[in-house]
Amino acid sequence: MNNGRFPISLHILTLMARAEGELLSSEHIAGSININPVLVRKEISNLRNHGLIESKEGKNGGATLAKPAANILLSDIYQAVKQSSLLGNSRNTPNPDCEVGKQINLHLDNLYSEVEGALIRKLQLVTLADFSQQFG
């Protein structure tokens, strides 16, 4: 993935998994990631929309996992934050009269599909609980 959303979201969810149900504020999470709390709130909103996080507004509010970490696959997180192709997209239209140009996008699409499939299969083998157990 060519952006930082997956590592940020995985960091957020790992903190929540280790908090064992305690509500975490966006400021607390942002301090751990060392980013602006606005970015954390944006990711929390997205993860909530995908059913991975529950949140409570207000002074004593915060966010926590919507389900046990053992029931969240890293592939669920990837799918929640995926925006574009893993390897990027071509920004130009190839020459349709060129032997390569007229076929390149089809072959790139097939390659990208195969590579992303391999990544997702690997991420389906690891739960958030598995990942968060690595931290002392």
Side-chain angles (χ1 to χ4, degrees):
M1 182 174 309
N2 50 11
N3 66 52
R5 292 186 69 198
F6 181 79
I8 289 170
S9 292
L10 184 54
H11 194 141
I12 291 168
L13 292 165
T14 300
L15 287 170
M16 290 179 183
R18 296 179 50 78
E20 300 177 349
E22 177 186 338
L23 293 175
L24 300 180
S25 71
S26 56
E27 289 78 14
H28 172 81
I29 295 167
S32 176
I33 303 173
N34 201 23
I35 61 172
N36 190 303
V38 172
L39 295 172
V40 170
R41 286 191 283 276
K42 179 182 175 188
E43 291 307 320
I44 285 174
S45 176
N46 179 58
L47 295 168
R48 183 179 55 243
N49 291 340
H50 283 87
L52 300 173
I53 286 178
E54 294 176 343
S55 60
K56 178 182 170 189
E57 302 294 324
K59 184 180 179 203
N60 294 321
T64 189
L65 296 179
K67 53 188 172 182
N71 295 344
I72 298 174
L73 300 174
L74 296 193
S75 60
D76 298 332
I77 302 165
Y78 174 79
Q79 294 292 357
V81 301
K82 178 184 167 195
Q83 291 181 305
S84 63
S85 171
L86 183 64
L87 299 175
N89 296 316
S90 177
R91 295 177 190 242
N92 67 324
T93 303
N95 182 346
D97 296 326
C98 171
E99 197 61 35
V100 172
K102 68 182 177 185
Q103 298 178 52
I104 190 74
N105 287 332
L106 171 66
H107 296 298
L108 284 173
D109 288 347
N110 291 339
L111 174 65
Y112 289 4
S113 222
E114 189 177 318
V115 169
E116 186 171 47
L119 172 67
I120 291 170
R121 284 188 297 278
K122 172 63 178 170
L123 294 176
Q124 286 173 332
L125 300 175
V126 184
T127 68
L128 179 59
D130 297 332
F131 184 81
S132 66
Q133 287 175 358
Q134 299 176 84
F135 301 89

